[in-house]
Amino acid sequence: MKPFLSPRQLAKAIGLSESSLKRWADDGRIAAVRTGGGHRRIARPEAIRFIRDSRLTVVRPDLLGLPEADVVLPEQGSEDALAEALFRALLHGDRDRAFGLLQSAFLAGRPLAWIFDGPVRSAMHRIGEIWQHRRDGIAVEHRATDLCIQAAMQLRLSLPAEDAMAPVAVGGAPSGDPYLLPSLMAAAVLQETGLRAINLGPDTPLASLEQAAWQHDAAVVWLSLSAGEAAEAVRRDLPRLAGPLAERGVELIVGGREIERLAGLRQANVALAHRMAELAAFARGLLARGGGASAGGRDAEPRAT
Ligand code: B12
């Protein structure tokens, strides 16, 4: 996949004229660089950002390095229709259709949090019921999970490069929690919001999260809880992570389907959230406050409280 597009290629991808693209590049609506020979070139993630922000329709996704998507576009179908279509595609292991559905919602400007909280969550929750009444239920579930992981990765890779000065978020799922998708989604949502997200993935000891937070001078740590026993252990051990983070002004946001296990926990720097939309709002709040180690200058040493 080529990292840069010419104005002509991008124009073809969205069915507009090359001259419009050149004009928009020259007036700064879309960021372009010049080759040694003076030709304009547009980075692929910047082209995708422009399409999403401008609500343009993609007619040739292949020119953007994306699969052809023969799908109902989200404006034609409601969230429920998209969730139903995605469920069917995952049920049948139809990779192209599953990717196409998610990609078209993404290109139409839907925030990743909307895509993950809505269609993906709904479809995966339904997929999770199948093992109870079908012999191939577990295989179907594992295949569907793999497709969602691939799609979430692809969407994340399509996001613009992170600002090197943006605050860092580090996160994962705790020891004993094998769930890969929720933490991956959290990373993608945080990245889309403008943070630098470092996803340590499933089965990560809390001590490793803490160590990574110091190493990367993180402003935020996220934790995704999907497995019951692992979440119980977190309930017990969380103060040992939250305390040191609080001393350095690092915020901890915890979410996931087992979050209720932490109900009643009182810790000033710990936020509990149920949805990716809440995570995105949390990150926007942090950015609005100019938060973050790298952006705002976090204390190098723990401060006395
Ligand atoms: C895929 C899957 C697995 C896979 C995971 C593979 C992988 N590497 O990721 C594997 C095979 C490991 C697995 C194992 C098991 N599973 Co399972 N699994 C699922 C399934 C189908 C999908 C999980 C998923 O990815 N969901 C998609 C995400 C998008 O949804 P979500 O987790 O709800 O996340 C949303 C929010 O919670 C929130 N969120 C999540 N993280 C975060 C983080 C932050 C910071 C924030 C703000 C928000 C947030 O945002 C997300 C989007 O809205 C679920 C069904 C379900 N209801 O989720 C069952 C399910 C969770 N599993 C279940 C079961 C029973 C098991 C097993 C016990 C099966 C077995 N007998 O071995 C084991 C237990 C494993 C363990 N150690 O706990 C049951 C749990 C029932 C219960 N009441 O506890 C479920 C509900 C299926 C069912 N209906 O029976 N499973």
Side-chain angles (χ1 to χ4, degrees), residues 196-264:
R196 282 186 288 154
I198 299 172
N199 179 24
L200 304 188
D203 209 0
T204 302
L206 296 189
S208 302
L209 273 177
E210 182 187 345
Q211 190 272 329
W214 305 150
Q215 184 184 346
H216 298 288
D217 205 6
V220 184
V221 171
W222 82 84
L223 198 53
S224 178
L225 305 181
S226 307
E229 277 181 36
E232 278 303 323
V234 167
R235 180 179 176 82
R236 198 183 55 233
D237 298 339
L238 197 71
R240 260 185 275 158
L241 171 66
L245 293 181
E247 285 179 14
R248 293 203 197 183
V250 180
E251 304 206 41
L252 177 57
I253 180 158
V254 191
R257 52 180 302 280
E258 290 291 343
I259 195 186
E260 297 311 332
R261 309 243 180 192
L262 302 195

Side-chain angles (χ1 to χ4, degrees), residues 113-118 120-132 138 141-142 144-146 148-149 172 176-186 190 202 221-230 252-259 261 271-280 282:
W114 183 92
I115 295 173
F116 296 154
D117 284 335
V120 173
R121 183 172 176 277
S122 160
M124 284 307 288
H125 283 213
R126 285 176 71 189
I127 290 284
E129 303 295 324
I130 293 172
W131 66 271
Q132 299 178 32
I138 292 179
E141 174 188 304
H142 289 207
T145 307
D146 181 53
C148 283
I149 289 167
D177 185 327
Y179 290 84
L180 220 147
L181 194 51
S183 188
L184 170 59
M185 289 177 171
L190 289 168
V221 171
W222 82 84
L223 198 53
S224 178
L225 305 181
S226 307
E229 277 181 36
L252 177 57
I253 180 158
V254 191
R257 52 180 302 280
E258 290 291 343
I259 195 186
R261 309 243 180 192
L272 304 184
H274 291 88
R275 294 283 175 268
M276 293 290 157
E278 294 168 61
L279 182 63
F282 176 88

